[in-house]
Amino acid sequence: MTPDLFSQIVAAAACIVILWRAEPAINRMRARSSPILLRLSFWCLAVAAIGALVEIVLSGPPPWPATVGAIGVALLLFCERRIRYLTRRPPTVRPDVQ
């Protein structure tokens, strides 16, 4: 497997994951209850993933920064999106308090 083919497969898989995770999020957003920046960001992610897939099919391998960026976005869409969950420290047990 050549590096170009590997890069195409990895980037296409990341774009498919982005579409798979962003599309339901867009569908669940309501016009009045969701912030406009959040709706716009998910819409831009979906459009960019579609454009990247088309570009991969038509022209060839993407540059490596774009591939790494697509992987990063796909991984971020898999993690928990609540900031409180990401910043919370695990509970510690203090022996003197019961």
Side-chain angles (χ1 to χ4, degrees), residues 64-97:
W64 68 267
T67 302
V68 173
I71 293 169
V73 170
L75 291 174
L76 276 174
L77 288 176
F78 266 113
C79 77
E80 181 65 40
R81 287 189 207 123
R82 292 176 291 181
I83 296 298
R84 281 181 279 152
Y85 178 80
L86 294 173
T87 59
R88 183 179 58 194
R89 292 184 186 174
T92 58
V93 179
R94 293 184 0 195
D96 59 336
V97 177

Side-chain angles (χ1 to χ4, degrees), residues 12-29:
C15 289
I16 289 169
V17 168
I18 292 169
L19 285 174
W20 175 48
R21 296 292 290 180
E23 189 270 333
I26 293 169
N27 286 338
R28 285 191 301 265
M29 291 184 192

Side-chain angles (χ1 to χ4, degrees), residues 19-77:
L19 285 174
W20 175 48
R21 296 292 290 180
E23 189 270 333
I26 293 169
N27 286 338
R28 285 191 301 265
M29 291 184 192
R30 303 286 182 248
R32 300 279 183 204
S33 63
S34 297
I36 186 73
L37 287 178
L38 185 64
R39 288 184 292 171
L40 186 60
S41 65
F42 272 99
W43 185 83
C44 287
L45 283 175
V47 170
I50 291 169
L53 283 172
V54 169
E55 191 69 24
I56 289 169
V57 170
L58 294 180
S59 69
W64 68 267
T67 302
V68 173
I71 293 169
V73 170
L75 291 174
L76 276 174
L77 288 176

Side-chain angles (χ1 to χ4, degrees), residues 3-19:
D4 287 346
L5 180 62
F6 181 73
S7 176
Q8 284 180 309
I9 291 171
V10 169
C15 289
I16 289 169
V17 168
I18 292 169
L19 285 174

